[in-house]
Each structure stands twice: as structure tokens, then as C-alpha cells.
Amino acid sequence: VSSKGVGVISRSKGGDIALSLAAFVPGVEALVWINGCSANIGIPLYYKEREILSPLMFNFGKVIPTESGANIIKYAVNNPLAEENKDSVVPIEQADGHFLFVASEDDLNWDSKGYLDDMVGRLKHHGKKNFENITYSAAGHLLEPPYGPHCPSALHGMLRFPVVWGGEPQAHAAAELHLWQKIQDFLRTHLSNNAAQTTSKL
């Protein structure tokens, strides 16, 4: 929070919630979107007692089981660009704040890179320049602050069964280290009145 506005950091399902905040609620000045979706996932989204976005749903017939017992769900999310799903897409082109889009190309949760490409294309189509984007070729879904252990699979909080997150451990760790600094730089640029603030000690 600053005098300029609010900064939001989001990942996974939090990504579409954060995009919706930026699109519909004034004051979101800087938004970091990490391996999220460009559409509202799973449940209808309401604002001021009115449904503003319908849910993008899953096709569980496209879940791929693995020998470990965890599942690859990347292909189970319906296509947000299909005509029947257009009412689930977050209208980020109406947002005034700045975006940092981050996608891992080995995300096995869903097609983060495809969603990033869609959002960048839409913003460019509307003449917007209020975004930056980064992709990491061998990182997985769970990009977190650096120096923690790599998590290749876990129980999915929404679907309630184990899933594979993706990511090659060394490349994933390098991505987390790079991204941690990039997030701080982005938030300082768009929220701080004083560029010479203290640096992170992590």
C-alpha cells in the first residue's frame, strides 16, 4: 500500500481474482500475476451483489494420471478463448494499473504461457502499454520466494486430489531467485515515491 495505490501479488487461482480487482476496483496500481489464468476459474464472481464473470470450468476426462499417483491437469481446463467461455474472461483492458505477467513454460497445472500471450495480445490490441511480461522455460507452477525446496507435486487445494506442478528443480530455483528481485523492482517503480528505499534482506 502506498500513496499511489495498492500493489497485489497473486499466483494460480489468485491470479484471476487479482486481475478482476484491477479491472473492476479503483486503486490497484501494480499487479504481479504469476502462473494464473486470464479467465475466472471454477466459481461465479460477484461484485456489489451482481455476477460479473461466469466460471471457466474443467473437463476431468482430460486429467492424465501418472505412476506417482499425482495427476497432470494442464489440459483439463476449458479454453477461455472459446466463444462459449467469453463471459469468464477478465476484461483487463479496462484496468488503469500496471501489470507484471509471469508464466512458467513447464507449468503442468494449466497453460500459463498461453494465458499470458492472450492478455498481452489483448492489451496491445487496445493500445495499452501498462504491462511487462517474463517467461521461464523450465520452471513449474509453484513459483515462490527463493531458497525454499522445490515442490514437484501436492494435493490441489481446489480439486482435492494430488497433482503434478512441473518444473526442473535447478531451473525452477533460478527462476524464483530472478523473479524475487524483479517483483521488488516492479513494485518500487509503480508504488514508491522514493526509489532509494531499503533493499530486501532475503
Side-chain angles (χ1 to χ4, degrees), residues 143-163:
L143 284 176
E144 298 179 312
Y147 307 120
H150 179 243
C151 180
S153 62
L155 182 69
H156 194 287
M158 188 182 217
L159 303 180
R160 309 310 299 170
F161 57 77
V163 300

Side-chain angles (χ1 to χ4, degrees), residues 12-115:
S12 195
K13 168 60 185 170
D16 58 89
I17 296 172
L19 293 176
S20 299
L21 279 171
F24 294 105
V25 180
V28 178
E29 182 64 25
L31 191 155
V32 181
W33 175 98
I34 305 169
N35 290 329
C37 186
S38 55
N40 175 53
I41 290 284
I43 56 174
L45 184 66
Y46 288 84
Y47 180 56
K48 295 184 176 180
E49 301 182 358
R50 180 175 65 89
E51 182 178 327
I52 56 174
L53 293 173
S54 61
L56 182 69
M57 301 306 290
F58 299 86
N59 179 349
F60 291 104
K62 294 184 178 181
V63 171
I64 302 171
T66 69
E67 291 183 2
S68 72
N71 301 277
I72 296 173
I73 60 171
K74 179 173 185 173
Y75 308 102
V77 182
N78 290 334
N79 180 8
L81 301 183
E83 180 65 22
E84 64 270 21
N85 298 322
K86 66 180 182 180
D87 291 336
S88 69
V89 175
V90 183
I92 57 169
E93 57 275 6
Q94 67 189 35
D96 294 324
H98 298 83
F99 296 102
L100 174 61
F101 300 128
V102 182
S104 298
E105 294 186 21
D106 193 35
D107 184 349
L108 296 181
N109 184 74
W110 50 29
D111 186 14
S112 296
K113 175 63 165 56
Y115 303 149

